[in-house]
């Protein structure tokens, strides 16, 4: 009876400690009651092991075998034991939760709760930020290579912050740049700890499931990844952890919160083991080297505490490592390759030019393969043999093979036909290539240590020749070509307004824009190869971000330089340190574009040969300045440092071996400072030099400050006003902010000045009593005309304020386009202007009895016709209503009053000899709300 109907063995709980020791060639881990994949006993399988088949052919298994996992019969006792091993009889790990130190607080680590079918899974919680990480590996190993098959994916799900994507597609899709950077931060410290010869494809997935906006998930994700790998079956040397270090004043803070980071002058991320640093990356504001080393020391102490707690967790519930799956080339192959190609490799590696050296090495590699296969052939599927077997097989090829001829055998014997003998497999092709590469690196390192000279003839401290020039591209806003040896960067700067800024979509749900960004491109032509062109790779995003953060501290503030700045760095040649060439070229291009930088900065890449005892040295680590591509590939460290003569702005260090200590870092930093100073001196010799002024093709941006309450007047209803200004003046954009900042972007000065004048007029604060001359009438309405006193600003001139005489219709005296002089007589609460033309007209002389001379009355001419042509004109005077505008006077009542006054004047002809009789309505103010009006005549009636 089958314990598992599917015929595949289920893996039981692993309660025993993790084992890191090799178990020998093809040796079964029979001491483990619960075995990982590929470690089941041979006797339980009904299929013969592939290693047994190969051993029958005379080839001994080195370190790897494949076995079927089908069991024809399993006893009930074994099935019961397997079922009861896990929680609930499922054969899975029991849940485990522990708290480990994480700076000045603790984080919760849980395993066995979710993702129980993965090789290793961890849920890490810091505050209310939760990161889930899983590790899985393929059942079948992939083809051997010199690159560990590790794939890392990190994703920040918007649901972690309780929201969805703001775009059309609501599901997370393309990996964002920030996620790519964290993927690299997880991958880089993990890779050096993986054991060589393990070719099972390994996938690490990390998701941010909850984010509280206070605790950053990146350091938590790196630590969770290190714990998940330590608990899994993946063979590795040490557990890793990651921390962030901030600097608040003079105090270093481990894993600061997002609010604390706002005031920090340092952003250092460090990952490593309990005894070594594996990766550092960070950005600062011209921090001295000694201060940076103090921060690294603080971070290393925090990492050591985390790793100690992780080791205790692995001892409690870690799975056994798949050490039997490790497959290494036989040691004899190293000796054979070095014997065949050692002397020629020594000569080839002295070729200074990269392309000829690469072609010569390729030809020599092909020669080595042919020499090793003269007596046999390379089989992709063959397994490595011992040294004795290889030599014996080569010797046996020289002996004649004995065959049985027809007719010379007894009857009943097996008849064997003569056949041509095939060569026995010796090495796989990949094994030869891997060994050849390692031998090449060893010879290169020996030459540097013993001879003190590198491939291009430089000493360890020397820097390659540097040339630079600016202004190569006439239509670009700024450009520079920086060349250091065989590494070359073409940097181009583009200036624009806020619309060119890069919008960032993040978990914090805060609208964020980048006004400066650097985009790095590494085409295959830069190394003389053919490759695919498409979306930027993870390497390109990482290198671009490093150069961007290095240049950011020297940029002016937005108030001083209101442009959005884009830098493109295209690597046209590459032989090491292309990201630091982007820093140097970008700095020159920014100066050529007229950006007022605080200072100049440069970048340099440092290398390392750690163990010099192996090559006849005294054991002191050898540090190399300005490394080439070959020295990067063959060395033990790639340390990039950018800054000026006195301080550092950005740094990134990747370690390929364990054992980098603080004294080694200190020496590397000091040597890098000397190298930066020399590079900066060479950049000063740039020919032609940077223009240091805005290009005539760059847009013009003018900043205005208006009263915040006036911003809506610029925008207008539905944006109509600002659109009309853009259309009228021809500017590119007008950007307004709630604090009253207005940015005008234009291609030429004339359109900029015109829009500036319109906005100034719209937002001016007029004063009652101001006089505006030669103003245009824009429109006519039944109750008056609208006059444009300044461009874009209009006011109402009521019909009663147009002339001194009574006017029935404004069209009778004025038309659109006429120009008049007006005086501002009132500004209401809404900012609307009330104008008067009549106030500027000459005042006719009036007798003392003339009511028009009394400011408390309004005199209106009678519209009725006199009976005789020469009859005197009659007037009616009405009081001014207190607090009301003059245009609110009821003209019907005025006309009625004028008629009564006229009839009364006819009855008193004696009193109308010289002047028309006038009735004056005088205003009498009372304490109450009503006004009492009295009527009196000029003659004392």
């Amino acid at each position: 009876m089958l314990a598992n109907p599917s015929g595949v063995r289920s893996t039981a709980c692993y309660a025993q400690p993790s084992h890191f020791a090799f178990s020998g060639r093809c040796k079964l881990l029979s001491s483990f009651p619960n075995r990982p994949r590929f470690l089941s006993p041979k006797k339980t399988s009904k299929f013969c092991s592939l290693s047994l088949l190969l051993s029958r052919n005379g080839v001994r298994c080195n370190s790897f075998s494949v076995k079927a996992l089908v069991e024809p019969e399993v006893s009930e006792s074994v099935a019961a034991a397997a079922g009861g091993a896990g929680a609930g009889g499922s054969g899975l790990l029991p849940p485990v939760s522990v708290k480990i130190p994480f700076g000045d607080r603790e984080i919760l680590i849980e395993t066995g709760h979710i993702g129980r079918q993965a090789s290793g899974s961890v849920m890490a919680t810091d505050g209310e930020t939760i990161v889930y990480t899983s590790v899985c590996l393929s059942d079948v190993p992939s083809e051997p290579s010199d690159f560990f098959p590790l794939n890392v994916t990190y994703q920040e799900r918007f649901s972690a912050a309780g929201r969805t994507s703001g775009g059309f597609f609501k599901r997370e899709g393309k990996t964002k740049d920030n996620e790519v950077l964290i993927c690299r931060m997880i991958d880089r410290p993990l890779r050096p700890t993986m054991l060589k010869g393990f070719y099972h494809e390994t996938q690490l997935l990390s998701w941010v499931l909850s984010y509280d906006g206070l605790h950053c998930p990146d350091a938590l994700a790196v630590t969770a990844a290190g714990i998940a790998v330590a608990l899994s079956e993946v063979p590795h040397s040490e557990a890793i952890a990651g921390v962030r270090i901030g600097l608040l004043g003079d105090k270093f803070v481990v894993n600061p919160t997002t609010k604390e980071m706002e005031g920090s002058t340092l952003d250092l991320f460090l990952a490593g083991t309990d005894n070594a640093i594996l990766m550092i990356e960070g950005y600062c504001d011209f921090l001295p080297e000694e201060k940076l080393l103090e921060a690294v020391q603080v971070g290393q102490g925090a990492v050591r505490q985390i790793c100690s707690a992780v080791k205790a967790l692995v001892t409690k519930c870690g799975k056994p490592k798949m050490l039997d799956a490790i497959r290494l080339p036989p040691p004899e192959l190293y000796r054979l390759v070095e014997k065949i190609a050692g002397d020629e490799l020594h000569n080839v590696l002295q070729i200074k030019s990269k392309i000829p050296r690469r072609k010569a090495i390729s030809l020599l590699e092909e020669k080595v393969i042919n020499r090793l296969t003269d007596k046999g052939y390379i089989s992709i599927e063959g397994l490595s043999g011992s040294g004795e077997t290889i030599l014996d097989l080569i010797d046996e090829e020289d002996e004649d093979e004995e065959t049985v001829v027809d007719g010379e055998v007894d009857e009943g014997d097996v008849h064997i036909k003569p056949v041509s003998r095939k060569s026995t497999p010796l090495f796989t092709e990949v094994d030869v290539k891997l060994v050849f590469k390692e031998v090449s690196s060893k010879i290169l390192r020996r030459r540097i240590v013993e001879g003190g000279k590198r491939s291009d003839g430089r000493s360890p401290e020397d820097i390659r020749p540097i040339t630079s020039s600016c202004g190569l591209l006439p239509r670009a806003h700024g450009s520079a070509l920086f060349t250091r040896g065989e590494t070359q960067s073409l940097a181009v700067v583009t200036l624009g307004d806020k619309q060119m800024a890069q919008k960032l979509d993040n978990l914090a749900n805060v609208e964020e824009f980048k006004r400066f960004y650097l985009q790095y491109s590494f085409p295959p032509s830069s190394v003389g190869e053919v490759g695919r062109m498409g979306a930027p790779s993870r390497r390109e995003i990482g290198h671009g971000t490093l150069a961007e953060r290095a240049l950011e501290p020297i940029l002016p503030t937005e108030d001083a330089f209101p442009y959005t700045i884009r830098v493109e760095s295209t690597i046209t040649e590459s032989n090491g340190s292309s990201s630091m060439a982007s820093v140097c070229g970008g700095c020159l291009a920014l100066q050529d574009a007229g950006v007022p930088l605080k200072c100049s900065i440069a970048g340099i890449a440092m290398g390392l040969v750690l163990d010099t005892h192996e090559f006849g040295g005294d054991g002191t680590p050898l540090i190399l300045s300005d490394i080439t591509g070959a020295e990067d590939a063959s060395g033990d460290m790639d340390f990039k440092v950018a800054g000026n003569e006195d301080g550092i702005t950005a740094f990134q260090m990747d370690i390929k071996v364990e054992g980098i200590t603080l004294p080694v870092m200190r020496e590397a930093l000091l040597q890098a400072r000397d190298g930066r100073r020399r590079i900066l001196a060479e950049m000063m010799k740039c020919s032609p030099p940077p223009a240091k002024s805005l290009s005539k093709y760059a847009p013009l941006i003018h900043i205005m400050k208006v009263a915040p309450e006036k911003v809506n007047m610029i925008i207008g209803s539905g944006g109509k006003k600002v659109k009309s200004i853009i259309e009228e003046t021809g500017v590119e954009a007008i950007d307004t902010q709630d604090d009253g900042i207005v940015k005008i972007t234009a291609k030429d000065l004339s359109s900029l000045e015109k829009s500036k004048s319109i906005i100034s007029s719209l937002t001016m604060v007029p004063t009652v009593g101001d006089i505006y001359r030669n103003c245009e009438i824009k429109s006519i309405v039944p109750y008056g005309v609208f006059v444009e006193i300044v461009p874009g600003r209009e006011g109402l001139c009521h019909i009663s304020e147009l002339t001194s005489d009574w006017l029935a219709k404004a069209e009778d005296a004025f038309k659109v386009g006429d120009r008049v002089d007006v005086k501002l007589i009132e500004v209401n609460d809404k900012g609307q202007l009330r104008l008067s033309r009549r106030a500027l007209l000459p005042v006719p002389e009036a007798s003392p009895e003339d009511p028009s001379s009394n400011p408390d009355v309004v005199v209106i001419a009678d519209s009725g016709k006199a009976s005789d042509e020469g009859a005197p004109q009659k007037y009616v005077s009405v009081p001014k209503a207190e607090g009301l505008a003059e245009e609110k006077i009821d003209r019907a009542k005025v006309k009625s009053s004028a008629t009564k006054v006229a009839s009364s004047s006819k009855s008193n002809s004696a009193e109308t000899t010289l002047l028309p009789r006038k009735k004056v309505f005088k205003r009498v103010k009372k304490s109450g709300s009503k006004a009492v009006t009295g009527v009196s005549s000029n003659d004392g009636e």
Side-chain angles (χ1 to χ4, degrees):
M1 180 178 177
L2 292 176
N4 187 348
S6 64
V8 179
R9 182 199 307 271
S10 61
T11 307
C13 172
Y14 306 105
Q16 65 283 344
S18 176
H19 297 268
F20 289 92
F22 284 92
S23 58
R25 304 179 188 269
C26 297
K27 181 180 177 182
L28 294 176
L29 301 179
S30 57
S31 60
F32 295 138
N34 304 309
R35 303 171 183 86
R37 63 192 78 183
F38 307 117
L39 299 182
S40 57
K42 298 179 183 179
K43 294 181 180 180
T44 61
S45 174
K46 68 178 182 180
F47 297 108
C48 183
S49 172
L50 179 60
S51 61
L52 295 178
L53 293 174
L54 294 174
S55 63
R56 293 173 184 173
N57 293 329
V59 180
R60 182 162 56 90
C61 173
N62 183 29
S63 61
F64 176 73
S65 62
V66 179
K67 309 169 188 65
L69 300 181
V70 179
E71 296 181 84
E73 293 184 3
V74 179
S75 65
E76 294 182 2
S77 60
V78 174
S90 61
L92 300 173
L93 278 171
V96 176
S97 299
V98 296
K99 289 186 177 181
I100 63 175
F102 202 62
D104 59 352
R105 57 186 183 272
E106 291 184 335
I107 59 175
L108 178 65
I109 300 298
E110 300 172 276
T111 183
H113 294 269
I114 63 174
R116 294 174 296 176
Q117 297 187 36
S119 180
S121 63
V122 165
M123 185 89 77
T125 304
D126 184 13
E128 292 184 348
T129 297
I130 300 176
V131 175
Y132 168 67
T133 302
S134 65
V135 176
C136 293
L137 56 156
S138 61
D139 294 336
V140 180
S142 57
E143 290 294 332
S145 67
D146 60 342
F147 196 73
F148 182 75
L150 173 65
N151 178 267
V152 178
T153 300
Y154 170 87
Q155 187 179 65
E156 295 177 347
R157 295 187 171 178
F158 289 108
S159 59
R163 68 187 194 92
T164 59
S165 174
F168 179 78
F169 298 100
K170 299 304 178 183
R171 183 170 184 169
E172 285 79 6
K174 178 181 176 293
T175 305
K176 298 185 288 291
D177 287 359
N178 180 62
E179 295 172 333
V180 170
L181 296 175
I182 297 178
C183 281
R184 287 170 53 84
M185 291 167 64
I186 296 173
D187 183 287
R188 284 156 47 198
L190 275 177
R191 195 169 293 277
T193 65
M194 299 300 178
L195 300 182
K196 291 184 178 181
F198 186 75
Y199 300 121
H200 288 259
E201 185 176 356
T202 304
Q203 184 179 47
L204 190 148
L205 304 178
S206 184
W207 295 281
V208 179
L209 301 183
S210 177
Y211 178 61
D212 58 7
L214 194 62
H215 302 92
C216 295
D218 48 6
L220 189 64
V222 174
T223 301
I227 298 174
V229 171
L231 295 175
S232 72
E233 300 162 285
V234 179
H236 72 123
S237 57
E238 294 285 346
I240 71 158
V243 296
R244 168 174 274 105
I245 306 298
L247 180 59
L248 300 176
D250 294 330
K251 181 182 178 182
F252 292 106
V253 181
V254 180
N255 292 320
T257 62
T258 54
K259 290 184 179 180
E260 291 174 329
M261 283 301 298
E262 292 176 0
S264 176
T265 57
L266 170 67
D267 183 5
L268 166 65
F269 191 89
L270 182 144
T273 64
D274 58 352
N275 57 10
I277 302 170
L278 297 177
M279 183 269 289
I280 64 171
E281 180 172 342
Y283 317 98
C284 47
D285 192 5
F286 301 102
L287 197 69
E289 283 78 5
E290 292 299 328
K291 204 69 174 178
L292 178 59
L293 288 170
E294 292 180 26
V296 172
Q297 188 172 7
V298 172
Q300 190 177 19
V303 167
R304 187 179 295 113
Q305 291 181 353
I306 299 174
C307 291
S308 299
V310 172
K311 285 185 176 181
L313 177 63
V314 172
T315 303
K316 182 177 181 181
C317 57
K319 295 182 180 180
K321 301 301 179 180
M322 293 176 56
L323 299 177
D324 272 17
I326 293 177
R327 175 186 171 188
L328 295 171
E332 293 78 10
L333 185 56
Y334 290 86
R335 179 178 56 81
L336 291 174
V337 170
E338 190 167 0
K339 181 178 180 181
I340 294 173
D343 295 337
E344 292 187 65
L345 264 176
H346 190 275
N347 296 329
V348 167
L349 292 174
Q350 297 184 39
I351 300 176
K352 295 184 178 181
S353 298
K354 176 182 177 180
I355 300 299
R357 181 173 63 249
R358 186 183 67 190
K359 292 181 178 180
I361 291 176
S362 298
L363 291 175
L364 183 57
E365 181 182 28
E366 185 178 356
K367 176 182 177 181
V368 171
I369 294 175
N370 292 334
R371 286 286 300 273
L372 286 176
T373 57
D374 281 343
K375 302 296 182 179
Y377 67 99
I378 291 180
S379 171
I380 299 300
E381 300 178 355
L383 295 177
S384 305
S386 64
E388 296 178 357
T389 305
I390 295 168
L391 296 177
D392 292 343
L393 290 173
I394 293 176
D395 293 338
E396 289 176 0
E397 288 293 323
D398 297 333
E399 300 177 2
D400 294 332
E401 183 179 354
E402 297 182 1
T403 58
V404 179
V405 184
D406 288 345
E408 298 182 357
V409 293
D410 294 334
E411 233 176 302
D413 290 347
V414 178
H415 180 67
I416 303 176
K417 295 183 178 180
V419 292
S420 59
R421 177 176 177 179
K422 294 183 179 179
S423 301
T424 304
L426 302 178
F427 308 107
T428 66
E429 183 177 358
V430 175
D431 282 342
V432 177
K433 291 184 176 181
L434 290 176
V435 171
F436 182 84
K437 182 177 180 180
E438 292 188 30
V439 170
S440 301
S441 297
K442 183 178 179 180
I443 293 176
L444 177 63
R445 292 155 65 94
R446 181 188 295 120
R447 183 175 184 272
I448 296 174
V449 174
E450 292 180 352
K453 294 293 182 181
R454 296 147 76 173
S455 295
D456 50 9
R458 291 181 294 149
S459 67
E461 299 83 9
D462 284 346
I463 295 174
R464 291 171 288 178
I466 295 175
T467 59
S468 56
S469 58
C470 290
L472 282 76
L473 309 177
R475 300 289 296 195
H477 300 161
S479 59
L481 183 68
F482 179 84
T483 306
R484 178 167 51 197
E486 293 179 303
T487 299
Q488 190 177 75
S489 169
L490 176 62
V492 181
V493 172
T494 305
L495 303 177
D497 59 357
K498 186 178 180 180
Q499 295 179 358
M500 202 179 81
Q502 176 68 56
K503 183 178 180 180
L504 302 179
D505 200 1
N506 49 38
L507 285 178
N509 199 18
V510 177
E511 194 174 56
E512 184 179 356
F513 291 89
K514 286 174 61 176
R515 60 177 291 260
F516 170 68
Y517 48 93
L518 188 147
Q519 297 169 337
Y520 169 97
S521 300
F522 191 89
S525 60
S526 62
V527 289
E529 296 178 355
V530 177
R532 183 187 65 86
M533 292 293 294
S537 65
R538 292 186 174 186
R539 177 182 178 274
E540 289 175 316
I541 293 174
H543 280 32
T545 302
L546 176 63
E548 175 186 310
R549 303 262 182 101
L551 291 169
E552 199 167 12
I554 66 173
L555 295 177
T557 62
E558 188 174 3
D559 294 337
F561 194 74
Y563 288 88
T564 296
I565 307 170
R566 178 193 182 193
V567 180
E568 298 172 88
S569 175
T570 303
I571 305 303
T572 52
E573 294 182 25
S574 178
N575 188 14
S577 189
S578 59
S579 61
M580 296 296 97
S582 299
V583 173
C584 301
C587 180
L588 292 173
L590 288 169
Q591 293 176 340
D592 189 56
V595 181
L597 303 180
K598 298 176 183 178
C599 63
S600 297
I601 66 169
I604 187 172
M606 310 297 292
L608 174 70
V609 179
L610 186 62
D611 185 12
T612 56
H613 275 301
E614 182 182 359
F615 310 111
D618 58 359
T620 304
L622 182 62
I623 298 174
L624 308 177
S625 296
D626 186 24
I627 57 175
T628 62
E631 292 166 346
D632 183 6
S634 302
D636 299 325
M637 178 184 74
D638 181 14
F639 193 6
K640 304 179 180 71
V641 186
N644 62 0
E645 298 92 338
D646 303 316
I648 298 172
T649 59
F651 50 90
Q652 184 185 91
M653 182 179 72
D654 291 322
I655 304 300
K656 303 172 186 178
V657 296
E658 297 185 24
I660 301 299
T661 58
L662 285 176
V664 176
M665 281 192 61
R666 177 179 287 104
E667 185 179 351
L669 284 171
L670 295 178
Q671 190 169 323
R673 182 177 62 186
D674 295 337
R676 290 199 313 273
R677 291 174 176 174
R678 296 169 61 182
I679 295 171
L680 286 169
E682 294 296 325
M683 290 171 60
M684 296 294 293
K685 304 175 183 178
C686 178
S687 178
K692 296 186 178 181
S693 62
L694 284 177
S695 169
K696 62 181 180 180
Y697 301 111
L700 301 175
I701 297 182
H702 178 74
I703 299 180
M704 300 177 62
K705 176 67 175 178
V706 301
E709 61 270 14
K710 301 291 183 181
V711 172
N712 289 334
M713 300 184 68
I714 303 174
I715 300 174
S717 177
K720 292 182 180 179
K721 192 62 182 178
V722 69
K723 291 178 182 177
S724 65
I725 298 174
I726 294 175
E727 184 177 353
E728 179 183 351
T729 60
V731 298
E732 291 186 345
I734 298 176
D735 179 52
T736 60
Q737 300 177 9
D738 294 337
D739 58 355
I741 297 295
V742 180
K743 295 182 181 178
I744 308 172
T745 305
K747 292 182 178 180
D748 55 82
L749 188 60
S750 61
S751 60
L752 179 66
E753 291 295 336
K754 189 174 181 180
S755 61
K756 176 183 173 182
S757 175
I758 293 176
I759 294 175
S760 298
S761 302
L762 282 173
T763 58
M764 72 172 186
V765 180
T767 304
V768 174
D770 290 347
I771 298 174
Y772 302 93
R773 304 288 185 183
N774 197 30
C775 301
E776 182 182 358
I777 296 177
K778 287 295 187 180
S779 61
I780 299 177
V781 293
Y783 49 85
V785 297
F786 283 95
V787 182
E788 186 181 49
I789 58 174
V790 290
R793 191 72 183 274
E794 298 178 3
L796 172 65
C797 185
H798 195 269
I799 192 171
S800 63
E801 296 292 340
L802 287 174
T803 62
S804 300
D805 299 332
W806 185 82
L807 190 63
K809 295 181 179 181
E811 294 91 333
D812 296 342
F814 303 96
K815 63 181 183 295
V816 175
D818 288 349
R819 294 189 173 272
V820 294
D821 297 341
V822 292
K823 180 180 180 180
L824 179 62
I825 59 176
E826 184 183 352
V827 180
N828 65 12
D829 295 338
K830 297 181 179 180
Q832 297 171 335
L833 309 181
R834 183 167 173 265
L835 308 173
S836 174
R837 177 178 176 272
R838 183 170 65 88
L840 299 179
L841 295 178
V843 179
E845 293 183 3
S847 65
E849 298 179 354
D850 190 350
S852 62
S853 62
N854 190 341
D856 292 330
V857 300
V858 178
V859 180
I860 301 178
D862 186 5
S863 59
K865 295 183 179 179
S867 57
D868 298 328
E869 185 175 351
Q873 192 176 11
K874 299 171 179 63
Y875 297 87
V876 64
S877 300
V878 297
K880 288 184 178 179
E882 185 176 3
L884 298 177
E886 295 181 19
E887 62 268 18
K888 294 184 178 181
I889 299 174
D890 192 337
R891 294 185 177 274
K893 295 181 179 180
V894 172
K895 185 174 181 181
S896 174
S897 300
T899 305
K900 294 178 181 179
V901 172
S903 61
S904 176
S905 63
K906 287 183 179 180
S907 62
N908 300 317
S909 59
E911 298 178 3
T912 58
T913 305
L914 298 177
L915 291 173
R917 186 175 180 82
K918 302 172 184 176
K919 294 289 184 180
V920 179
F921 294 81
K922 296 183 178 180
R923 177 173 54 192
V924 181
K925 298 182 179 178
K926 298 292 183 180
S927 59
S929 60
K930 295 183 179 180
V932 179
T933 304
V935 180
S936 64
S937 62
N938 313 15
D939 53 3
E941 291 181 1

